[in-house]
Amino acid sequence: MLQIACDGSCLGNPGPGGWAAVILTAAGEERVLSGGEPNTTNNRMELTAAIRAVEAVPEGAAATVLCDSQYVVKGITQWLPSWVRRGWQTANRRPVKNADLWRRLAAARAGRPGVRFEWVPGHAGHPGNERAHTLASEAAARQGRRAPGPERGGRLFVSNG
């Protein structure tokens, strides 16, 4: 079973943002995914981290996605069915924020029934969460240092160690 810690970060809200997913295999191998956007929000980066985490899980594989964002965990495990039933509106009949990313996360998870989400407290010493947080913060900082331009959005860094 894979264990994936994911996190998002934003320097300002909105501002330059970063996301990261740290994938740990049962054999102890680590794979890191991270990237960022020049002008985004913390919630969008949290969602992007979760999306990239789920998309990295091979179909049919089991995985636990550890996330310190209750927005992401409650959204995917509790709120999503109601949003879909109401045509992507909240209980107050307002459009769901970040619906484009929620749709992408729902689609990625639909093909991977072995993926489950678990909330972990942020900044509480969980090694995977701490590592994902550091990587997401570094990705946000890289976005903040770059000059404006279309090449800034969505760069992906992949490391196998």
Side-chain angles (χ1 to χ4, degrees):
M1 175 189 276
L2 298 173
Q3 185 177 64
I4 307 171
C6 62
D7 200 14
S9 178
C10 207
L11 304 175
N13 203 20
W19 59 269
V22 179
I23 304 166
L24 188 63
T25 69
E29 297 170 353
E30 180 183 273
R31 180 175 173 213
V32 171
L33 306 173
S34 73
E37 294 183 18
N39 188 31
T40 189
T41 66
N42 189 63
N43 282 342
R44 289 189 69 80
M45 291 293 89
E46 294 279 3
L47 278 165
T48 300
I51 290 164
R52 297 307 277 267
V54 173
E55 289 176 344
V57 175
E59 289 192 22
T64 300
V65 177
L66 305 170
C67 184
D68 66 6
S69 168
Q70 290 202 25
Y71 172 68
V72 171
V73 175
K74 286 183 177 181
I76 194 67
T77 63
Q78 297 174 26
W79 305 332
L80 186 69
S82 296
W83 291 339
V84 171
R85 204 171 38 255
R86 288 191 295 260
W88 291 95
Q89 292 187 341
T90 66
N92 296 332
R93 297 290 177 207
R94 292 194 169 88
V96 171
K97 290 182 181 178
N98 304 309
D100 59 325
L101 296 177
W102 283 113
R103 284 183 173 104
R104 185 171 164 194
L105 180 56
R109 189 172 185 218
R112 296 164 180 88
V115 172
R116 69 181 189 87
F117 280 78
E118 184 177 311
W119 179 78
V120 294
H123 317 291
H126 185 283
N129 178 260
E130 295 293 339
R131 180 138 161 74
H133 173 75
T134 297
L135 293 165
S137 296
E138 289 171 355
R142 282 192 303 273
Q143 290 297 318
R145 288 191 299 266
R146 294 181 184 195
E151 72 282 355
R152 291 179 57 188
R155 292 202 179 250
L156 174 65
F157 169 75
V158 178
S159 170
N160 289 322

